[in-house]
Every structure is written in C-alpha cells, then in structure tokens.
Amino acid sequence: MHELPPKQWHVFPLATTPEIRAALKHPGWKAAERLYEMDASAFNSGIPVDGAISTARRLLGEAKVGGVLEYIRDLLDSGVEKLVVAAWHHSVLAPLRAGLEAHGLVYMDGSTTPRAKQKAVDRFQSEAGIRIILGQTIPLGEGWTLTAAQDVVMAEPDWVPGKNDQLLDRVHRFGQSGDRVIGHVPVVPGSMDEKIFSVAIRKDQSIHAALDQQW
C-alpha cells in the first residue's frame, strides 16, 4: 500500500540490570539456543513453547519493564502524542499499566468484553487526553484501527515476524495521516532474545522488499 507511510523498526537496547541478568540465567534460554542452532528456519516458523522456554521469556519480559517504562516516558516527553503498547504476559502488563496510568490510558486483554474493547479503541482514537492504549498482544492485534498513533511499543516482541507485523498494522492502515509508522522493540544486547528477534526483522524486511518489487 504505497499511499501509506513506510513501516520502520526501531530496536532499542536496554541496560543490563541485575533483574535482567538473573532472567537470562534461566535454563530455558539454553534450550532455545540449542533448538535454534539445530534448525533456525524451523525454529523461526514455529517457535517451540515448552515450560522452560516460555518461563524464560516471561521472566525476561518482567525484568524489562523498568527499562520499557523509561523509554515510553521519554517518547511521550519528546512529543509523541499517542502510543500503542503491547505485552504478552499479565505479569508484564500489570506494572506497565500502573506506571503509565497517569498519562491517560485505556486497556484491553483476553478477558475484556468486545464492547469494552471497542470503547477503549474509540476513546483512544477520539480523545486527546487518552495518550496510550495498552493491551495483550493478541487481543490488541485483532483488527482494530489505531491510526491516531504512529508508534507501537512491543514490550514483549514475538519471535515470529508476522505477529509483530500484524500488531504494527493496527497503526499502518487507511486513515493513517502521519509521515511514518514505527515499531519500537526493546532488546538486551548480546542476548539470545536479541539474536532471534534481529533475524525475525531481517526476514520481515526481505518479505516486504519482495512484495514491493511485485507492485
């Protein structure tokens, strides 16, 4: 859709705190690394979800919250008027919600009724005082129009490129009048999380480049 502004990814590094270091010591990261090294393409197309890997990702998401909150506040202070913020785990969403409530926030997760979800979207789209819509990744990426924002912060990015793209497309759709759309992604430099997500972004960019050549 060439009439829309370009989609961009901004991967921002987080400082390695004691909490992040502890989260990265979980054995699930070793399991993920072994599977990834055995067959990276199979890993990227169907991320194995077992107890160890899912627990490792949850612990890292929780440990990232402080850095993500600081980054979001910097975006708001720099002049970004509206933000879409997504996370996967309730244990990550809860402190994000508490830390961002004062900026004007609406919320949805898997337990939110369809009517309440629509009300949250409508308020975000129409009310200047509502600067943030925060939600669980899947419900927030279900097909809403969130073009009041140009920026999406993925507190817990998915390792499958299409799922992140689907969330960014809530902003990158007809009605978007800004000059850019940016997906902001927190990573821990040198971690397995950074490595896997960097590959996911490269795959996503290659797919879009191929599609652009066809038009």
Side-chain angles (χ1 to χ4, degrees):
M1 294 186 288
H2 294 282
E3 59 271 32
L4 292 177
K7 285 194 286 190
Q8 306 168 44
W9 294 105
H10 175 230
V11 177
F12 62 94
L14 296 175
T16 307
T17 63
E19 293 80 10
I20 285 176
R21 281 195 290 271
L24 289 173
K25 290 179 181 177
H26 189 277
W29 292 108
K30 290 290 186 183
E33 186 171 9
R34 285 194 300 270
L35 290 168
Y36 187 83
E37 296 298 335
M38 286 171 58
D39 189 343
S41 62
F43 188 91
N44 286 331
S45 62
I47 306 302
V49 180
D50 65 12
I53 293 175
S54 61
T55 298
R57 295 183 73 185
R58 175 181 58 79
L59 291 173
L60 183 59
E62 293 168 359
K64 285 180 177 179
V65 166
V68 172
L69 280 172
E70 182 179 353
Y71 182 80
I72 289 172
R73 291 171 184 143
D74 286 345
L75 285 177
L76 295 172
D77 290 344
S78 72
V80 172
E81 295 181 1
K82 298 241 181 187
L83 275 173
V84 177
V85 181
W88 182 267
H89 296 97
H90 285 98
S91 57
V92 177
L93 287 163
L96 287 174
R97 188 175 187 179
L100 297 172
E101 200 87 51
H103 295 281
L105 178 145
V106 289
Y107 176 83
M108 71 170 71
D109 60 26
S111 67
T112 307
T113 66
R115 183 174 180 179
K117 289 177 185 175
Q118 186 64 65
K119 183 177 179 181
V121 169
D122 291 345
R123 292 192 66 198
F124 179 73
Q125 286 287 95
S126 63
E127 295 183 25
I130 300 298
R131 300 184 70 188
I132 298 169
I133 184 165
L134 170 67
Q136 203 166 20
T137 303
I138 290 179
L140 194 57
E142 282 179 338
W144 308 108
T145 294
L146 301 173
T147 50
Q150 294 176 248
D151 298 82
V152 179
V153 177
M154 301 177 184
E156 293 181 281
D158 203 287
W159 288 343
V160 178
K163 293 184 180 179
N164 300 309
D165 224 20
Q166 183 178 357
L167 183 61
L168 195 58
D169 282 345
R170 301 310 100 229
V171 171
H172 190 256
R173 61 189 311 172
F174 291 115
Q176 177 55 255
S177 59
D179 59 357
R180 85 288 187 278
V181 166
I182 302 178
H184 304 262
V185 182
V187 298
V188 181
S191 68
M192 188 66 188
D193 186 55
E194 180 196 35
K195 178 180 180 180
I196 294 169
F197 187 74
S198 295
V199 171
I201 286 182
R202 288 197 295 272
K203 283 182 61 179
D204 188 53
Q205 290 173 333
S206 297
I207 290 167
H208 283 290
L211 289 173
D212 284 344
Q213 290 172 7
Q214 293 176 21
W215 284 91

Short mmCIF file of all heavy atoms in Angstrom, two decimals, residues 82-143:
data_model
loop_
_atom_site.label_atom_id
_atom_site.label_comp_id
_atom_site.label_asym_id
_atom_site.label_seq_id
_atom_site.Cartn_x
_atom_site.Cartn_y
_atom_site.Cartn_z
N LYS A 82 0.57 9.95 20.89
CA LYS A 82 -0.20 8.73 21.17
C LYS A 82 0.69 7.51 20.94
O LYS A 82 1.50 7.48 20.03
CB LYS A 82 -1.42 8.65 20.27
CG LYS A 82 -2.44 9.79 20.44
CD LYS A 82 -3.78 9.25 20.89
CE LYS A 82 -4.82 10.35 21.03
NZ LYS A 82 -6.07 9.84 21.62
N LEU A 83 0.45 6.49 21.76
CA LEU A 83 1.25 5.26 21.69
C LEU A 83 0.36 4.03 21.83
O LEU A 83 -0.57 4.01 22.65
CB LEU A 83 2.26 5.21 22.83
CG LEU A 83 3.60 5.91 22.67
CD1 LEU A 83 4.36 5.85 24.00
CD2 LEU A 83 4.42 5.26 21.57
N VAL A 84 0.67 3.02 21.05
CA VAL A 84 0.12 1.68 21.24
C VAL A 84 1.20 0.87 21.95
O VAL A 84 2.35 0.83 21.49
CB VAL A 84 -0.25 1.02 19.90
CG1 VAL A 84 -0.76 -0.40 20.13
CG2 VAL A 84 -1.28 1.87 19.16
N VAL A 85 0.85 0.25 23.07
CA VAL A 85 1.82 -0.53 23.84
C VAL A 85 1.26 -1.92 24.06
O VAL A 85 0.12 -2.08 24.50
CB VAL A 85 2.12 0.13 25.20
CG1 VAL A 85 3.17 -0.68 25.97
CG2 VAL A 85 2.60 1.57 25.01
N ALA A 86 2.06 -2.94 23.74
CA ALA A 86 1.59 -4.32 23.84
C ALA A 86 2.57 -5.18 24.61
O ALA A 86 3.79 -4.98 24.56
CB ALA A 86 1.38 -4.92 22.44
N ALA A 87 2.03 -6.15 25.33
CA ALA A 87 2.83 -7.16 26.02
C ALA A 87 2.04 -8.45 26.02
O ALA A 87 0.82 -8.46 25.78
CB ALA A 87 3.17 -6.72 27.44
N TRP A 88 2.71 -9.55 26.32
CA TRP A 88 2.08 -10.86 26.28
C TRP A 88 1.54 -11.30 27.64
O TRP A 88 0.42 -11.76 27.76
CB TRP A 88 3.08 -11.88 25.75
CG TRP A 88 2.52 -13.25 25.60
CD1 TRP A 88 2.57 -14.27 26.52
CD2 TRP A 88 1.78 -13.76 24.50
NE1 TRP A 88 1.92 -15.38 26.05
CE2 TRP A 88 1.42 -15.09 24.80
CE3 TRP A 88 1.40 -13.22 23.27
CZ2 TRP A 88 0.71 -15.88 23.92
CZ3 TRP A 88 0.68 -14.02 22.40
CH2 TRP A 88 0.34 -15.34 22.74
N HIS A 89 2.35 -11.15 28.67
CA HIS A 89 2.03 -11.70 29.98
C HIS A 89 1.34 -10.68 30.89
O HIS A 89 1.71 -9.51 30.90
CB HIS A 89 3.30 -12.20 30.68
CG HIS A 89 3.97 -13.33 29.96
ND1 HIS A 89 5.03 -13.14 29.11
CD2 HIS A 89 3.71 -14.66 29.99
CE1 HIS A 89 5.42 -14.31 28.62
NE2 HIS A 89 4.63 -15.25 29.14
N HIS A 90 0.36 -11.16 31.66
CA HIS A 90 -0.31 -10.28 32.62
C HIS A 90 0.67 -9.73 33.64
O HIS A 90 0.49 -8.60 34.12
CB HIS A 90 -1.44 -11.04 33.33
CG HIS A 90 -2.64 -11.25 32.46
ND1 HIS A 90 -2.87 -12.43 31.79
CD2 HIS A 90 -3.68 -10.43 32.15
CE1 HIS A 90 -4.00 -12.33 31.10
NE2 HIS A 90 -4.50 -11.12 31.28
N SER A 91 1.70 -10.50 33.97
CA SER A 91 2.67 -10.04 34.95
C SER A 91 3.56 -8.92 34.41
O SER A 91 4.25 -8.25 35.16
CB SER A 91 3.55 -11.21 35.42
OG SER A 91 4.19 -11.83 34.31
N VAL A 92 3.55 -8.72 33.09
CA VAL A 92 4.22 -7.58 32.47
C VAL A 92 3.23 -6.43 32.28
O VAL A 92 3.56 -5.26 32.51
CB VAL A 92 4.84 -7.99 31.12
CG1 VAL A 92 5.48 -6.79 30.42
CG2 VAL A 92 5.89 -9.09 31.34
N LEU A 93 2.02 -6.76 31.88
CA LEU A 93 1.00 -5.73 31.66
C LEU A 93 0.67 -4.96 32.93
O LEU A 93 0.48 -3.74 32.90
CB LEU A 93 -0.27 -6.37 31.10
CG LEU A 93 -0.20 -6.84 29.65
CD1 LEU A 93 -1.35 -7.80 29.34
CD2 LEU A 93 -0.26 -5.65 28.70
N ALA A 94 0.59 -5.66 34.07
CA ALA A 94 0.17 -5.01 35.31
C ALA A 94 1.09 -3.86 35.73
O ALA A 94 0.61 -2.74 35.98
CB ALA A 94 0.04 -6.04 36.43
N PRO A 95 2.42 -4.06 35.78
CA PRO A 95 3.27 -2.92 36.14
C PRO A 95 3.33 -1.84 35.06
O PRO A 95 3.49 -0.65 35.37
CB PRO A 95 4.65 -3.55 36.38
CG PRO A 95 4.62 -4.85 35.66
CD PRO A 95 3.21 -5.32 35.71
N LEU A 96 3.19 -2.22 33.79
CA LEU A 96 3.11 -1.21 32.74
C LEU A 96 1.87 -0.35 32.93
O LEU A 96 1.93 0.89 32.82
CB LEU A 96 3.08 -1.87 31.36
CG LEU A 96 4.37 -2.50 30.85
CD1 LEU A 96 4.13 -3.22 29.53
CD2 LEU A 96 5.47 -1.44 30.66
N ARG A 97 0.76 -0.98 33.24
CA ARG A 97 -0.49 -0.24 33.45
C ARG A 97 -0.36 0.72 34.62
O ARG A 97 -0.75 1.89 34.53
CB ARG A 97 -1.63 -1.23 33.68
CG ARG A 97 -3.01 -0.59 33.71
CD ARG A 97 -4.08 -1.66 33.81
NE ARG A 97 -5.41 -1.10 33.69
CZ ARG A 97 -6.53 -1.81 33.73
NH1 ARG A 97 -6.47 -3.14 33.86
NH2 ARG A 97 -7.72 -1.22 33.60
N ALA A 98 0.20 0.23 35.72
CA ALA A 98 0.36 1.08 36.90
C ALA A 98 1.31 2.25 36.61
O ALA A 98 1.07 3.39 37.04
CB ALA A 98 0.88 0.25 38.06
N GLY A 99 2.36 2.00 35.84
CA GLY A 99 3.36 3.03 35.57
C GLY A 99 2.93 4.06 34.54
O GLY A 99 3.52 5.14 34.47
N LEU A 100 1.92 3.73 33.73
CA LEU A 100 1.51 4.63 32.64
C LEU A 100 0.13 5.25 32.84
O LEU A 100 -0.29 6.08 32.04
CB LEU A 100 1.53 3.85 31.31
CG LEU A 100 2.90 3.32 30.87
CD1 LEU A 100 2.75 2.41 29.65
CD2 LEU A 100 3.87 4.47 30.57
N GLU A 101 -0.56 4.84 33.88
CA GLU A 101 -1.94 5.30 34.10
C GLU A 101 -2.04 6.82 34.10
O GLU A 101 -3.01 7.39 33.57
CB GLU A 101 -2.44 4.76 35.45
CG GLU A 101 -3.95 4.74 35.60
CD GLU A 101 -4.58 3.46 35.06
OE1 GLU A 101 -4.13 2.37 35.44
OE2 GLU A 101 -5.52 3.59 34.26
N ALA A 102 -1.07 7.50 34.66
CA ALA A 102 -1.14 8.95 34.80
C ALA A 102 -1.07 9.69 33.45
O ALA A 102 -1.39 10.87 33.37
CB ALA A 102 -0.01 9.45 35.70
N HIS A 103 -0.66 8.99 32.40
CA HIS A 103 -0.53 9.64 31.09
C HIS A 103 -1.82 9.57 30.27
O HIS A 103 -1.85 10.05 29.14
CB HIS A 103 0.60 8.98 30.30
CG HIS A 103 1.95 9.18 30.93
ND1 HIS A 103 2.68 10.34 30.81
CD2 HIS A 103 2.70 8.35 31.71
CE1 HIS A 103 3.81 10.23 31.45
NE2 HIS A 103 3.86 9.03 32.01
N GLY A 104 -2.88 8.97 30.83
CA GLY A 104 -4.12 8.81 30.10
C GLY A 104 -4.09 7.51 29.33
O GLY A 104 -3.44 7.42 28.28
N LEU A 105 -4.78 6.50 29.86
CA LEU A 105 -4.60 5.14 29.34
C LEU A 105 -5.93 4.40 29.26
O LEU A 105 -6.77 4.53 30.15
CB LEU A 105 -3.62 4.39 30.25
CG LEU A 105 -3.31 2.92 29.95
CD1 LEU A 105 -1.83 2.64 30.31
CD2 LEU A 105 -4.19 1.99 30.79
N VAL A 106 -6.08 3.63 28.19
CA VAL A 106 -7.16 2.63 28.10
C VAL A 106 -6.50 1.27 27.92
O VAL A 106 -5.34 1.18 27.51
CB VAL A 106 -8.15 2.93 26.95
CG1 VAL A 106 -9.00 4.15 27.29
CG2 VAL A 106 -7.42 3.13 25.63
N TYR A 107 -7.26 0.21 28.20
CA TYR A 107 -6.63 -1.11 28.36
C TYR A 107 -7.55 -2.21 27.83
O TYR A 107 -8.78 -2.11 27.91
CB TYR A 107 -6.36 -1.34 29.85
CG TYR A 107 -5.80 -2.69 30.18
CD1 TYR A 107 -4.44 -2.96 30.07
CD2 TYR A 107 -6.64 -3.71 30.65
CE1 TYR A 107 -3.92 -4.20 30.39
CE2 TYR A 107 -6.13 -4.97 30.96
CZ TYR A 107 -4.77 -5.20 30.83
OH TYR A 107 -4.26 -6.44 31.15
N MET A 108 -6.91 -3.27 27.30
CA MET A 108 -7.64 -4.49 26.98
C MET A 108 -6.74 -5.69 27.13
O MET A 108 -5.51 -5.61 26.94
CB MET A 108 -8.21 -4.44 25.55
CG MET A 108 -7.18 -4.54 24.46
SD MET A 108 -7.92 -4.77 22.79
CE MET A 108 -8.65 -3.17 22.49
N ASP A 109 -7.33 -6.82 27.51
CA ASP A 109 -6.63 -8.10 27.49
C ASP A 109 -7.63 -9.17 27.09
O ASP A 109 -8.74 -8.87 26.64
CB ASP A 109 -5.93 -8.41 28.83
CG ASP A 109 -6.90 -8.49 30.01
OD1 ASP A 109 -8.10 -8.80 29.80
OD2 ASP A 109 -6.46 -8.28 31.16
N GLY A 110 -7.25 -10.43 27.24
CA GLY A 110 -8.11 -11.51 26.78
C GLY A 110 -9.42 -11.62 27.51
O GLY A 110 -10.38 -12.21 27.00
N SER A 111 -9.51 -11.04 28.71
CA SER A 111 -10.74 -11.12 29.49
C SER A 111 -11.67 -9.93 29.25
O SER A 111 -12.80 -9.91 29.75
CB SER A 111 -10.40 -11.20 30.99
OG SER A 111 -9.81 -9.98 31.44
N THR A 112 -11.22 -8.94 28.48
CA THR A 112 -12.03 -7.75 28.22
C THR A 112 -13.17 -8.09 27.26
O THR A 112 -12.96 -8.78 26.26
CB THR A 112 -11.16 -6.63 27.62
OG1 THR A 112 -10.02 -6.42 28.46
CG2 THR A 112 -11.94 -5.34 27.50
N THR A 113 -14.37 -7.62 27.55
CA THR A 113 -15.52 -7.90 26.69
C THR A 113 -15.37 -7.17 25.36
O THR A 113 -14.70 -6.14 25.28
CB THR A 113 -16.83 -7.45 27.35
OG1 THR A 113 -16.82 -6.01 27.46
CG2 THR A 113 -17.00 -8.08 28.73
N PRO A 114 -15.99 -7.68 24.29
CA PRO A 114 -15.92 -6.99 22.99
C PRO A 114 -16.39 -5.53 23.08
O PRO A 114 -15.79 -4.65 22.46
CB PRO A 114 -16.84 -7.82 22.11
CG PRO A 114 -16.77 -9.20 22.69
CD PRO A 114 -16.67 -8.99 24.17
N ARG A 115 -17.44 -5.29 23.85
CA ARG A 115 -17.95 -3.92 23.98
C ARG A 115 -16.92 -3.01 24.66
O ARG A 115 -16.70 -1.87 24.24
CB ARG A 115 -19.25 -3.93 24.78
CG ARG A 115 -19.91 -2.56 24.91
CD ARG A 115 -21.25 -2.68 25.59
NE ARG A 115 -21.89 -1.38 25.72
CZ ARG A 115 -23.09 -1.20 26.25
NH1 ARG A 115 -23.80 -2.25 26.69
NH2 ARG A 115 -23.62 0.01 26.34
N ALA A 116 -16.27 -3.53 25.70
CA ALA A 116 -15.26 -2.73 26.40
C ALA A 116 -14.03 -2.50 25.54
O ALA A 116 -13.41 -1.43 25.59
CB ALA A 116 -14.88 -3.41 27.71
N LYS A 117 -13.66 -3.49 24.72
CA LYS A 117 -12.54 -3.31 23.79
C LYS A 117 -12.85 -2.18 22.80
O LYS A 117 -12.01 -1.32 22.55
CB LYS A 117 -12.27 -4.60 23.02
CG LYS A 117 -11.66 -5.72 23.83
CD LYS A 117 -11.51 -6.97 22.97
CE LYS A 117 -11.03 -8.16 23.76
NZ LYS A 117 -11.00 -9.40 22.95
N GLN A 118 -14.07 -2.21 22.22
CA GLN A 118 -14.43 -1.18 21.26
C GLN A 118 -14.45 0.20 21.90
O GLN A 118 -14.01 1.19 21.30
CB GLN A 118 -15.80 -1.49 20.66
CG GLN A 118 -16.22 -0.55 19.53
CD GLN A 118 -15.30 -0.66 18.33
OE1 GLN A 118 -15.25 -1.71 17.68
NE2 GLN A 118 -14.57 0.41 18.00
N LYS A 119 -14.93 0.26 23.14
CA LYS A 119 -14.94 1.55 23.84
C LYS A 119 -13.52 2.06 24.06
O LYS A 119 -13.25 3.25 23.88
CB LYS A 119 -15.64 1.40 25.19
CG LYS A 119 -15.76 2.71 25.96
CD LYS A 119 -16.52 2.54 27.26
CE LYS A 119 -16.61 3.85 28.03
NZ LYS A 119 -17.35 3.69 29.32
N ALA A 120 -12.60 1.16 24.41
CA ALA A 120 -11.21 1.56 24.61
C ALA A 120 -10.61 2.10 23.31
O ALA A 120 -9.94 3.14 23.30
CB ALA A 120 -10.39 0.38 25.12
N VAL A 121 -10.87 1.41 22.19
CA VAL A 121 -10.37 1.86 20.89
C VAL A 121 -10.96 3.21 20.52
O VAL A 121 -10.25 4.12 20.07
CB VAL A 121 -10.67 0.80 19.81
CG1 VAL A 121 -10.40 1.36 18.41
CG2 VAL A 121 -9.86 -0.46 20.05
N ASP A 122 -12.26 3.37 20.71
CA ASP A 122 -12.93 4.63 20.34
C ASP A 122 -12.36 5.80 21.15
O ASP A 122 -12.15 6.89 20.62
CB ASP A 122 -14.44 4.51 20.57
CG ASP A 122 -15.11 3.57 19.59
OD1 ASP A 122 -14.48 3.23 18.57
OD2 ASP A 122 -16.25 3.14 19.86
N ARG A 123 -12.14 5.58 22.43
CA ARG A 123 -11.59 6.65 23.28
C ARG A 123 -10.16 7.00 22.85
O ARG A 123 -9.79 8.17 22.78
CB ARG A 123 -11.60 6.23 24.75
CG ARG A 123 -13.00 6.12 25.36
CD ARG A 123 -12.91 6.00 26.87
NE ARG A 123 -12.39 7.23 27.44
CZ ARG A 123 -11.87 7.32 28.67
NH1 ARG A 123 -11.77 6.25 29.43
NH2 ARG A 123 -11.43 8.48 29.13
N PHE A 124 -9.38 5.98 22.55
CA PHE A 124 -8.01 6.23 22.12
C PHE A 124 -7.99 7.02 20.82
O PHE A 124 -7.17 7.94 20.64
CB PHE A 124 -7.27 4.90 21.94
CG PHE A 124 -5.86 5.04 21.45
CD1 PHE A 124 -4.86 5.51 22.30
CD2 PHE A 124 -5.51 4.72 20.14
CE1 PHE A 124 -3.55 5.66 21.85
CE2 PHE A 124 -4.20 4.86 19.69
CZ PHE A 124 -3.23 5.33 20.55
N GLN A 125 -8.87 6.67 19.90
CA GLN A 125 -8.90 7.33 18.60
C GLN A 125 -9.42 8.76 18.67
O GLN A 125 -9.01 9.60 17.88
CB GLN A 125 -9.78 6.52 17.64
CG GLN A 125 -9.16 5.23 17.12
CD GLN A 125 -8.07 5.47 16.11
OE1 GLN A 125 -6.89 5.51 16.46
NE2 GLN A 125 -8.43 5.65 14.85
N SER A 126 -10.30 9.05 19.63
CA SER A 126 -11.00 10.33 19.59
C SER A 126 -10.66 11.30 20.71
O SER A 126 -10.89 12.51 20.56
CB SER A 126 -12.52 10.08 19.61
OG SER A 126 -12.90 9.45 20.83
N GLU A 127 -10.10 10.83 21.81
CA GLU A 127 -9.88 11.71 22.97
C GLU A 127 -8.41 12.10 23.08
O GLU A 127 -7.53 11.23 23.21
CB GLU A 127 -10.33 11.04 24.26
CG GLU A 127 -11.83 10.77 24.32
CD GLU A 127 -12.25 10.16 25.65
OE1 GLU A 127 -11.54 10.37 26.67
OE2 GLU A 127 -13.29 9.47 25.67
N ALA A 128 -8.15 13.40 23.07
CA ALA A 128 -6.76 13.88 23.15
C ALA A 128 -6.10 13.48 24.46
O ALA A 128 -4.88 13.26 24.51
CB ALA A 128 -6.74 15.40 22.99
N GLY A 129 -6.88 13.39 25.53
CA GLY A 129 -6.31 13.06 26.84
C GLY A 129 -5.94 11.61 27.01
O GLY A 129 -5.25 11.25 27.97
N ILE A 130 -6.39 10.75 26.10
CA ILE A 130 -6.02 9.33 26.14
C ILE A 130 -4.82 9.14 25.21
O ILE A 130 -4.95 9.08 23.99
CB ILE A 130 -7.19 8.42 25.72
CG1 ILE A 130 -8.38 8.62 26.65
CG2 ILE A 130 -6.75 6.96 25.72
CD1 ILE A 130 -8.12 8.26 28.10
N ARG A 131 -3.64 9.04 25.81
CA ARG A 131 -2.41 9.01 25.02
C ARG A 131 -1.90 7.59 24.77
O ARG A 131 -1.07 7.40 23.88
CB ARG A 131 -1.33 9.83 25.72
CG ARG A 131 -1.71 11.30 25.91
CD ARG A 131 -0.56 12.08 26.51
NE ARG A 131 0.54 12.24 25.57
CZ ARG A 131 1.73 12.75 25.91
NH1 ARG A 131 1.97 13.10 27.15
NH2 ARG A 131 2.69 12.85 24.99
N ILE A 132 -2.39 6.63 25.54
CA ILE A 132 -1.85 5.26 25.43
C ILE A 132 -2.99 4.25 25.39
O ILE A 132 -3.94 4.35 26.19
CB ILE A 132 -0.94 4.93 26.64
CG1 ILE A 132 0.28 5.86 26.67
CG2 ILE A 132 -0.48 3.47 26.60
CD1 ILE A 132 1.07 5.77 27.96
N ILE A 133 -2.90 3.31 24.47
CA ILE A 133 -3.73 2.11 24.56
C ILE A 133 -2.77 0.95 24.84
O ILE A 133 -1.83 0.71 24.09
CB ILE A 133 -4.59 1.87 23.31
CG1 ILE A 133 -5.50 0.65 23.54
CG2 ILE A 133 -3.78 1.73 22.03
CD1 ILE A 133 -6.64 0.53 22.53
N LEU A 134 -2.99 0.29 25.96
CA LEU A 134 -2.15 -0.81 26.41
C LEU A 134 -2.96 -2.08 26.32
O LEU A 134 -4.13 -2.12 26.74
CB LEU A 134 -1.71 -0.57 27.85
CG LEU A 134 -1.02 -1.73 28.58
CD1 LEU A 134 0.34 -2.04 27.96
CD2 LEU A 134 -0.88 -1.40 30.07
N GLY A 135 -2.35 -3.13 25.81
CA GLY A 135 -3.11 -4.37 25.72
C GLY A 135 -2.25 -5.59 25.54
O GLY A 135 -1.06 -5.52 25.24
N GLN A 136 -2.91 -6.72 25.73
CA GLN A 136 -2.28 -8.01 25.47
C GLN A 136 -2.14 -8.17 23.96
O GLN A 136 -3.02 -7.79 23.19
CB GLN A 136 -3.15 -9.11 26.07
CG GLN A 136 -2.41 -10.39 26.38
CD GLN A 136 -3.23 -11.30 27.28
OE1 GLN A 136 -4.45 -11.16 27.37
NE2 GLN A 136 -2.56 -12.24 27.92
N THR A 137 -1.05 -8.75 23.53
CA THR A 137 -0.65 -8.72 22.12
C THR A 137 -1.74 -9.24 21.18
O THR A 137 -2.05 -8.59 20.18
CB THR A 137 0.63 -9.54 21.92
OG1 THR A 137 1.66 -9.01 22.77
CG2 THR A 137 1.09 -9.49 20.48
N ILE A 138 -2.33 -10.38 21.47
CA ILE A 138 -3.31 -10.95 20.53
C ILE A 138 -4.61 -10.13 20.49
O ILE A 138 -5.05 -9.73 19.41
CB ILE A 138 -3.58 -12.43 20.84
CG1 ILE A 138 -2.33 -13.26 20.49
CG2 ILE A 138 -4.78 -12.95 20.06
CD1 ILE A 138 -2.45 -14.73 20.78
N PRO A 139 -5.26 -9.82 21.62
CA PRO A 139 -6.47 -9.01 21.53
C PRO A 139 -6.24 -7.64 20.91
O PRO A 139 -7.08 -7.15 20.16
CB PRO A 139 -6.91 -8.88 23.00
CG PRO A 139 -6.30 -10.04 23.70
CD PRO A 139 -5.01 -10.29 23.00
N LEU A 140 -5.09 -7.04 21.19
CA LEU A 140 -4.81 -5.70 20.66
C LEU A 140 -4.53 -5.74 19.16
O LEU A 140 -4.76 -4.76 18.45
CB LEU A 140 -3.62 -5.09 21.40
CG LEU A 140 -3.37 -3.59 21.22
CD1 LEU A 140 -4.58 -2.77 21.62
CD2 LEU A 140 -2.16 -3.17 22.02
N GLY A 141 -4.08 -6.89 18.65
CA GLY A 141 -3.76 -7.01 17.23
C GLY A 141 -4.86 -7.62 16.39
O GLY A 141 -4.63 -8.04 15.27
N GLU A 142 -6.09 -7.67 16.92
CA GLU A 142 -7.17 -8.42 16.27
C GLU A 142 -7.79 -7.76 15.05
O GLU A 142 -8.61 -8.35 14.39
CB GLU A 142 -8.28 -8.72 17.29
CG GLU A 142 -7.94 -9.87 18.22
CD GLU A 142 -9.04 -10.13 19.24
OE1 GLU A 142 -9.84 -9.20 19.51
OE2 GLU A 142 -9.10 -11.25 19.77
N GLY A 143 -7.45 -6.54 14.75
CA GLY A 143 -8.05 -5.89 13.58
C GLY A 143 -8.56 -4.50 13.86
O GLY A 143 -9.28 -3.93 13.04
#
